[in-house]
Amino acid sequence: MPHVTARARGARLSLVTLALALAVAVGVPTSASSVAPTAPAPSPATSTLPTPRPAGACQATYRTIASWPGGYVAEVTVFSSNAISAWSVTWSTGGGTVQQVWGGTLTSPFAVVQNAAWNGDVPAGGTATFGVYGTGPTVTPFVTCTA
């Protein structure tokens, strides 16, 4: 019989705990003594119209992943409430310069990034993410997204 370390047992227990929590969250019975299933209650025959939002509306969030004196790496996530086919994100680098971008196209080192060819289409409620390597002060800027 193979030797199982305490760490491996802990990892298994964590996975079992996660699986049980997920089962409870979605309503899956977790033991033989669970209550017998019942038919779901009929839903009322009502409908609601979605709140109209401006076409092409998008938002962006900026998060510093790592920083050191004179440089940083950040992640920017674009969220769209409606389906869009292209996006652009703008922010101030606080006097620094964007050196490299992945997952987007840098159009200005002071910083404007447009979608890459493969991630411009964002479905309604979807996201696209790109990364930034910059030099200069580490800032958490206000970002503007346009679609």
Side-chain angles (χ1 to χ4, degrees):
M1 185 162 122
H3 175 67
V4 178
T5 65
R7 185 174 184 178
R9 279 191 301 273
R12 265 194 237 145
L13 284 175
S14 294
L15 288 175
V16 169
T17 303
L18 177 62
L20 285 172
L22 181 59
V24 169
V26 297
V28 175
T30 57
S31 72
S33 64
S34 295
V35 177
T38 59
S43 59
T46 61
S47 65
T48 59
L49 297 174
T51 304
R53 297 189 182 187
C58 67
Q59 300 170 344
T61 57
Y62 182 103
R63 180 173 69 106
T64 300
I65 302 295
S67 64
W68 55 92
Y72 61 92
V73 174
E75 174 186 75
V76 180
T77 301
V78 174
F79 169 80
S80 181
S81 56
N82 299 311
I84 57 174
S85 59
W87 49 262
S88 177
V89 176
T90 306
W91 72 95
S92 171
T93 60
T97 303
V98 174
Q99 300 293 319
Q100 186 177 9
V101 170
W102 51 97
T105 303
L106 182 64
T107 60
S108 165
F110 302 106
V112 177
V113 174
Q114 294 177 334
N115 59 273
W118 51 269
N119 67 353
D121 289 327
V122 179
T127 62
T129 302
F130 66 91
V132 175
Y133 159 65
T135 56
T138 302
V139 296
T140 303
F142 175 78
V143 291
T144 304
C145 182
T146 54

